[in-house]
Amino acid sequence: MMKRIIIILVALVSTLTMSADNKKKAKNVESVTFNVSMHCENCQKKIEGTIGWEKGVKDLKTDLEKKTVTIKFDVRKTNKQQLQEKIQELGYDVEEVTAEEKKIESK
């Protein structure tokens, strides 16, 4: 009986610890969407293959039809400006999509 109680307590503490860690990680992750002057699938692959490996990038989605790149990143390792500059270094025009533009697109 005592072993069961100990096992349950260990499982409970472990679950609570993982939950707290996930909340901390979520606080350090932001998202940004850029309008990018990509024209073709090669442009899309070039951006995905390069920016996807940048320090701090957690997730990257490109939409060739809308010509957008959405990046989730760890703010402790990079920022919006650095990511924008990295895309510009690949030869593309880049402009951040504003919150107002995102609202209009979602309608």
Side-chain angles (χ1 to χ4, degrees):
M1 181 67 171
M2 187 62 138
K3 286 183 182 180
R4 285 185 182 179
I5 293 172
I6 292 172
I7 290 172
I8 291 170
L9 287 174
V10 168
L12 181 62
V13 169
S14 176
T15 302
L16 291 174
T17 303
M18 288 189 317
S19 178
D21 287 344
N22 287 339
K23 287 179 183 177
K24 286 180 186 176
K25 288 179 185 177
K27 287 181 183 178
N28 295 320
V29 175
E30 286 187 15
S31 180
V32 62
T33 300
F34 296 113
N35 286 320
V36 180
S37 64
M38 56 183 165
H39 312 345
C40 62
E41 289 180 12
N42 286 334
C43 295
Q44 185 178 18
K45 289 177 185 176
K46 184 177 181 181
I47 291 168
E48 290 171 346
T50 305
I51 305 304
W53 292 101
E54 283 296 315
K55 186 176 179 179
V57 172
K58 300 293 183 188
D59 188 37
L60 176 123
K61 292 187 172 101
T62 57
D63 186 327
L64 183 56
E65 186 177 311
K66 292 181 182 178
K67 296 186 177 191
T68 60
V69 176
T70 302
I71 306 169
K72 286 186 182 179
F73 60 96
D74 186 331
V75 297
R76 297 170 297 179
K77 297 180 181 177
T78 192
N79 60 51
K80 293 176 185 182
Q81 184 177 353
Q82 288 175 332
L83 294 168
Q84 184 172 0
E85 289 171 1
K86 290 294 182 182
I87 297 172
Q88 288 171 332
E89 287 174 12
L90 295 173
Y92 301 100
D93 294 327
V94 183
E95 186 177 306
E96 184 177 348
V97 176
T98 64
E100 187 64 32
E101 290 172 321
K102 288 180 186 179
K103 286 180 188 177
I104 292 170
E105 287 178 8
S106 66
K107 290 182 180 181

